[in-house]
Amino acid sequence: MQLLTVEDLKVSFPTPDGVVEAVRGVSFSVDRGKTLGIVGESGSGKSVATQTIVGLNPGGKVSGQARFEGRDLLTMGRDELRRLRGAEIGMIFQDPLSSLHPYYRVGWQIMEMIRNHTDMTKRQARQRAIELLELVRIPQPHRRVDDYPFQFSGGMRQRAMIAMALALNPKLLIADEPTTALDVTVQAQIMELMQRLQDEFDIAIILITHDLGVVADVADEVLVMYAGKPMEVADRRSLYYRPHHPYTVGLLESLPRPTNKGQRLKPITGQPPSLIHPPQGCPFHPRCPYVMDRCVSEMPPLDDADGGVAGHRSACWLPSDIAGASPELDAQRLDVAQRNRTAVAAAPEGGAR
């Protein structure tokens, strides 16, 4: 059953240099107890999209729908959204050191959130804070509840943020780059913790990250964003084993692997475009090795990919049967692009493209 459904979300912000079109028509849904991974480079719009639906981006021009259990979050008043955040939708932010107030003890901050949404007494809220710290495996929670954030390690601060987000048993947890500042071992511990808590409490999770490796073992479905637009969406297995969009392929090829020991990583060439003046057509075409003439002028729809596998969609003009990551398919992509460019160059002036 769908818990959250977002349809054609668009978000823009006025700036002295022009209007930044941060999110340009994004749609997705999250089922109860499932995990949606939203991935893309910095500036792709993934954080703006999720923060907007819970009212954390004031000042932007917003359109579309974001229905949470049938209620449109985008039309809710500020007070109604404030009651919803924390109680039904929990948030884990990228940097717990800046999210936790340095002046207040960790336990006090958890207690404050609990007492803002419930009628618990101070004693009851403190006991609940201790239980939460124990739940996320903070050692000696009865003692550490009175520590300040600077007395916690990076991994412990992130666990405290997860404890705060879970304090009122929310139905949806939005985790925005929750492992970026952590080393690989602690990253794995945090992801294992989130999976365990999801299984225990049947929580839906939106996991936002720039690293496809982070969602490799946890996401049920993955949405790839670029320049504020959805590029590809598929279940985890389809996306990793048969990616279709060249941007997705580029993200996967840039991941370090044990088999690449001693070799240079393969980066995506170029830089993401300005969202004040996004390129015409497919926004990825200036960086795409398979660019065709059609890509420069027409934005492809998010359509079926991978031979019509259910739920696998890609916004690319390449044929749907060229899905996967291999040298053979790479050659096919290049061949299709070259044949298209040759056909366009040979067509009489005014001919159809």
Side-chain angles (χ1 to χ4, degrees), residues 16-92:
D17 296 322
V19 177
V20 176
E21 299 178 24
V23 180
R24 304 188 292 154
V26 172
S27 300
F28 60 84
S29 62
V30 190
D31 293 343
R32 296 179 186 275
K34 300 295 184 180
T35 298
L36 169 69
I38 303 181
V39 300
E41 294 169 289
S42 296
S44 63
K46 53 192 188 296
S47 293
V48 173
T50 50
Q51 289 178 13
T52 297
I53 64 178
V54 290
L56 295 181
N57 277 322
K61 181 180 179 182
V62 181
S63 65
Q65 290 186 335
R67 296 195 171 277
F68 179 78
E69 294 190 318
R71 298 168 288 174
D72 191 352
L73 300 174
L74 302 183
T75 60
M76 282 187 181
R78 183 178 300 177
D79 290 340
E80 190 176 3
L81 267 176
R82 189 180 292 114
R83 288 192 295 270
L84 191 74
R85 289 195 301 262
E88 297 187 56
I89 301 177
M91 294 285 297
I92 304 172

Side-chain angles (χ1 to χ4, degrees), residues 301-335:
L302 192 65
D303 217 342
D304 289 341
D306 196 6
V309 172
H312 191 169
R313 294 173 291 154
S314 174
C316 184
W317 291 120
L318 286 169
S320 62
D321 58 345
I322 307 180
S326 70
E328 295 80 10
L329 289 168
D330 193 59
Q332 288 184 45
R333 291 186 181 95
L334 288 169
D335 181 59

Side-chain angles (χ1 to χ4, degrees), residues 93 116 130 161 183 198 202 244 253 260 266 287 344 346:
F93 295 100
N116 276 337
I130 293 171
M161 285 296 299
D183 63 51
Q198 180 181 39
D202 197 31
H244 178 263
E253 288 181 340
N260 293 346
K266 185 178 179 181
R287 307 172 69 188
V344 170

